[in-house]
Amino acid sequence: MKKVTSLMMVTALSAVVAAPAFADGHAQKWDMPMAYSASNFHSENGVKFADCVREGTGGAIDITVHPGGSLFKGADIKRAIQTGQVPIGERLLSGHQNENAVFGFDSVPFLATSFDASAKLFDAAKPKLVEILADQNLTLLYSVPWPPQGLYFKKEVNSVADMEGVKFRSYNNATARLAELTGMLPVTIEAAEISQAFATGVAESMISSGATGYDRKVWESLTHFYEVDAWLPYNHVMVNSDVWADVSDENKAAVQSCADTAAAEGLEASKAYTQFTLDGLKAGGMTVGRAGDGLVAELKEVGVTMTNEWLDAAGDDGKAIVEAFNN
């Protein structure tokens, strides 16, 4: 009888000790869709974030990462978070400029062409970005930039004229407009579909980082990568605001701490991945290097047109972001 009583006391004590970990009353299982492959640094960073949250909340919030568009395609992730189909997820918000032009702040050609400039631009845009997302039932947790964007082709390209008629993979308004202004033919293709699109000839070119090309082994279909440092787009991890409201203050603090770590570590991973992936493209057999001065000059003219168009679309908000960035 004493043994039974002792066992009951130990069990009760264990329950009391464990209780604070589940301050919200029960363990919350969060599915987290991500658009990019499991090997991509954004996805790897997301897994580390999930592990941090699990540990930091004592298991109260258990995040399962679903990379490679396996749960929702990239274009559907934002809507899935907004409507509560999933509590959390990662999305490239520039793919939603049709909702609000401010979402495209990080895809204005040649406005911010380095990691330092990109960080300054993000800081200028973040308050408005957070406000817009809040109106859409979304809470921003952390954001991580991609490496600088370059141009991929399956032939040598020395001028805009060489791009005429090329089928170009687009993933947001900016990339579609870039294609139009350079005489290429935009084709909307999700990140998870890139390899197949190039292999089957659905697309012949794209603007993206070395990271995307490396992850998708595009050297199997393409031949040239030109460094033009057009922009550094951001991936954003967001949580449904209704779900977030039900999280205890203690666990919110733990999640935000993990988010801050993910932002810092993701940035460093992006920087490190830049040269690593360019070297990987070369090892795969691609010609990798800076674009010629003539091509860069022509692209910058296109950039001026696109910047003006974005400023018109984004109105006072866009103007305020650019002014804050330039000051």
Side-chain angles (χ1 to χ4, degrees), residues 14 17 20 44-45 74 78 92 103 121 123 146 154-155 169 174 187 190 214 254 272 277 297 305 312 315 324:
S14 297
V17 171
E44 292 177 343
N45 194 42
K78 177 175 174 288
L92 184 89
F103 286 151
L121 179 61
D123 287 343
W146 286 89
K154 61 188 305 181
K155 66 175 183 177
R169 177 242 172 175
V187 184
E190 287 290 340
Y214 177 79
T277 54
T305 298
D312 287 342

Side-chain angles (χ1 to χ4, degrees), residues 64-121:
T64 301
V65 174
H66 301 270
S70 57
L71 190 60
F72 288 95
K73 290 184 177 181
D76 299 326
I77 290 175
K78 177 175 174 288
R79 185 66 182 168
I81 310 167
Q82 279 179 263
T83 56
Q85 295 177 70
V86 290
I88 190 172
E90 180 186 67
R91 177 59 176 150
L92 184 89
L93 283 176
S94 60
H96 298 278
Q97 290 180 67
N98 57 321
E99 297 176 24
N100 193 306
V102 170
F103 286 151
F105 78 93
D106 56 355
S107 298
V108 180
F110 305 107
L111 178 60
T113 60
S114 67
F115 282 104
D116 287 347
S118 170
K120 187 178 180 184
L121 179 61

Side-chain angles (χ1 to χ4, degrees), residues 205-236:
S205 174
M206 68 175 176
I207 186 165
S208 194
S209 68
T212 300
Y214 177 79
D215 289 339
R216 293 298 171 185
K217 300 180 180 179
V218 299
W219 54 81
E220 295 174 352
S221 303
L222 306 181
T223 58
H224 289 72
F225 177 79
Y226 293 98
E227 298 171 61
V228 296
D229 298 346
W231 61 77
L232 288 76
Y234 278 75
N235 279 9
H236 307 271

